[in-house]
Amino acid sequence: MNYESYFQQLREQHLEQLKQFLTIPSISALSEHKQDMNEAAQWVAQKLKEAGMDIVEVHPTSGHPIVYAEHLHAPGKPTVLIYGHYDVQPVDPLHLWETPPFEPTIRGGKLYARGATDDKGQLFLHIKAVEALLRQEGELPVNVKFCIEGEEEISSPSLPAFMKTNEEKLATDVVVISDTSLLEKGKPAISTGLRGLCSLEVAIQTANTDLHSGTYGGGVPNALHALIELLASLHDDKGRITVEGFYEGVPELSAAMREEFAKQQFNEEKLQNHLGLDALYGEEGYTFVERTGARPTLELNGVYGGFQGEGTKTVIPKEAHAKITCRLVGSQDPVATLERISAHLHTHVPTGAKLTVTPGEKARAFNMDPSHPVLQTAADAYEEVYGTRALFTKDGGSIPIVETFSRVLSAPVVMMGFGLPDENLHAPNEHFNLENFDKGLLTIVAFLKRL
């Protein structure tokens, strides 16, 4: 079967359908888009029916609906569960978009819209690949299930419970997810690891009111000074996190893993220049790709307090705040990590300051052995289409539900991404390169046939 010819003939039709999908402002984080979320779920369900799925169900949750579909007519063959999400990020700041975020526009071989690459465009590839196999061959080479949610961008609160209730329905030999990216144009990658996550908020209080810096300056504790001193205690001068026990569960990088990272041939100087930096930063003894893919972090995301308006206001602030997130690797326990950070902060809180620590998100890291046969099959499929075999990488980001899928369903997870790192996901002018739209369709077909 000539799938390249098939997809070329239907390319404009497929792109128009994807544009329809992208016009739906399915922003899960904003309650005013509740109806848009329902519309997006129904759109996905309809396209799965049109693709030839036997059973298509839209399951209500306490949040946004989960769409399930199946086509199970390949006895003795593997079962593949395809996961994706139809929700998207908010669009702010709106004025930075060159064209409206929910008016899909093609320019320069790229499709611009919110959700184009994360994750509507990549999810759409799977629906059309399965449809192509059924239309071209009348059957699928494997059993296929879909599980599509609308809450990935808000940490998937409803999906774990749905998975536990429907373990038998979702039972599979492999989970396939397209929500990551190639290393760069023409260089496919399969992520074999995602960092976990934990977050916390820190509040420091000193006096019961802001104070005049002339009358009280030099004689009372300053909440901002106390917070800065406390936060500075979290790292040493070599970029290492000083929290006792923080590195428990962090695996040392093997020679084989370091060799795999080196294959990426990442240009640190190019990145430094692109970002306008005088130097990169991080834990001593590791490269940029090692630091961002296989080492844990503790990052300040926001520090605020005192007067921030125009001009000068001579006050000693009574309170100061910080938001912190950690990326976790290996078997680091997010709950234990938060407890250790809290203990460190309470131990080091400066004299005269009162500390409040509020824990937030918690998610474990995900890891896969790159030698697993299903990952090797996926790498072969990329090579068939892209002409170069996919490299195995570790991604610095977190997709908490990936670890949940792997653990609850006891199945390997293959992250076959078709985005590019510079496609502005979560930012203004998000887009999807249409070269990877075309090649992604062919790669998914090749992978399912190879299984």
Side-chain angles (χ1 to χ4, degrees):
M1 302 292 179
N2 189 334
Y3 283 93
E4 187 169 359
S5 175
Y6 169 88
F7 285 124
Q8 279 301 314
Q9 289 174 17
L10 294 173
R11 190 174 193 263
E12 292 308 312
Q13 178 184 317
H14 288 166
L15 286 174
E16 284 305 311
Q17 290 176 5
L18 177 54
K19 286 180 180 179
Q20 291 171 15
F21 194 17
L22 293 169
T23 63
I24 304 171
S26 48
I27 304 171
S28 54
L30 303 178
S31 58
E32 63 261 34
H33 289 283
K34 179 76 174 177
Q35 184 51 45
D36 298 313
M37 299 301 298
N38 291 329
E39 182 184 347
Q42 292 296 334
W43 192 96
V44 170
Q46 181 59 37
K47 284 296 174 280
L48 287 167
K49 289 175 185 174
E50 292 173 8
M53 294 293 101
D54 292 326
I55 295 174
V56 179
E57 302 165 345
V58 178
H59 293 264
T61 72
S62 57
H64 304 303
I66 292 170
V67 183
Y68 171 82
E70 65 180 44
H71 188 284
L72 310 177
H73 298 289
K77 301 294 178 63
T79 297
V80 178
L81 176 69
I82 297 165
Y83 163 83
H85 63 93
Y86 61 83
D87 65 321
V88 301
Q89 281 277 321
V91 298
D92 308 271
L94 191 58
H95 71 278
L96 294 180
W97 287 81
E98 292 183 30
T99 50
F102 296 110
E103 294 180 16
T105 305
I106 294 175
R107 56 181 187 271
K110 303 172 183 179
L111 175 58
Y112 286 81
R114 173 58 89 226
T117 190
D118 180 23
D119 177 47
K120 288 179 176 178
Q122 298 201 55
L123 165 60
F124 185 76
L125 297 179
H126 286 278
I127 297 175
K128 290 301 158 184
V130 168
E131 180 182 85
L133 283 162
L134 284 170
R135 290 188 179 181
Q136 289 278 83
E137 306 190 24
E139 60 182 7
L140 295 179
V142 292
N143 301 293
V144 172
K145 299 177 179 180
F146 282 86
C147 180
I148 313 301
E149 68 158 324
E151 298 179 345
E152 194 275 341
E153 301 293 4
I154 53 172
S155 300
S156 305
S158 302
L159 189 53
F162 177 82
M163 289 170 64
K164 288 180 181 177
T165 304
N166 295 277
E167 275 188 63
E168 188 174 342
K169 180 193 289 284
L170 297 173
T172 186
D173 296 301
V174 57
V175 179
V176 177
I177 301 175
S178 293
D179 198 10
T180 50
S181 66
L182 284 70
L183 280 175
E184 59 184 62
K185 178 181 168 64
K187 292 181 67 174
I190 297 171
S191 175
T192 62
L194 295 165
R195 292 194 286 191
L197 177 73
C198 64
S199 66
L200 62 151
E201 295 192 25
V202 177
I204 286 286
Q205 183 169 353
T206 48
N208 57 9
T209 183
D210 286 354
L211 297 168
H212 189 287
S213 68
T215 306
Y216 293 93
V220 298
N222 182 312
L224 279 171
H225 292 186
L227 181 64
I228 291 167
E229 180 182 338
L230 183 59
L231 297 178
S233 75
L234 291 167
H235 293 85
D236 65 18
D237 59 2
K238 298 184 186 305
R240 190 171 173 86
I241 296 157
T242 55
V243 174
E244 186 176 351
F246 183 87
Y247 289 94
E248 185 176 313
V250 177
E252 283 303 317
L253 278 177
S254 66
M257 198 66 240
R258 291 199 121 152
E259 183 181 346
E260 199 66 31
F261 277 122
K263 287 179 184 176
Q264 297 182 29
Q265 299 179 324
F266 189 84
N267 189 327
E268 295 192 3
E269 185 178 355
K270 181 180 178 182
L271 174 68
Q272 182 178 312
N273 292 336
H274 175 70
L275 297 178
L277 293 170
D278 294 329
L280 298 180
Y281 168 84
E283 189 181 0
E284 192 174 87
Y286 298 92
T287 65
F288 175 83
V289 290
E290 290 170 349
R291 290 169 182 163
T292 58
R295 298 298 292 171
T297 68
L298 188 156
E299 295 283 359
L300 307 181
N301 306 124
V303 179
Y304 54 99
F307 178 65
Q308 298 176 55
E310 185 179 356
T312 301
K313 184 181 182 185
T314 53
V315 296
I316 298 172
K318 68 169 185 173
E319 61 184 55
H321 305 264
K323 294 178 184 286
I324 299 173
T325 54
C326 300
R327 301 290 178 167
L328 310 178
V329 300
S331 59
Q332 279 184 295
D333 183 337
V335 175
T337 300
L338 287 172
E339 291 172 350
R340 287 167 175 147
I341 296 170
S342 181
H344 174 99
L345 292 170
H346 279 96
T347 299
H348 290 81
V349 64
T351 303
K354 295 179 281 292
L355 171 69
T356 302
V357 178
T358 305
E361 299 169 282
K362 306 171 194 72
R364 287 184 173 273
F366 164 77
N367 289 285
M368 273 277 297
D369 182 349
S371 67
H372 194 290
V374 75
L375 290 183
Q376 295 295 321
T377 300
D380 293 340
Y382 274 113
E383 185 172 19
E384 179 181 327
V385 176
Y386 282 83
T388 183
R389 204 160 188 274
L391 291 177
F392 296 106
T393 64
K394 301 280 188 185
D395 280 7
S398 304
I399 309 176
I401 203 62
V402 173
E403 187 273 337
T404 307
F405 267 116
S406 177
R407 175 170 40 83
V408 174
L409 301 182
S410 300
V413 179
V414 184
M415 286 183 280
M416 299 183 69
F418 298 101
L420 285 175
D422 62 355
E423 288 181 334
N424 287 27
L425 65 165
H426 293 207
N429 301 310
E430 179 181 348
H431 57 276
F432 190 24
N433 281 261
L434 295 183
E435 175 186 352
N436 293 318
F437 176 87
D438 297 328
K439 290 184 175 180
L441 289 164
L442 294 170
T443 304
I444 295 167
V445 167
F447 174 66
L448 294 176
K449 288 173 74 71
R450 284 173 176 269
L451 278 180

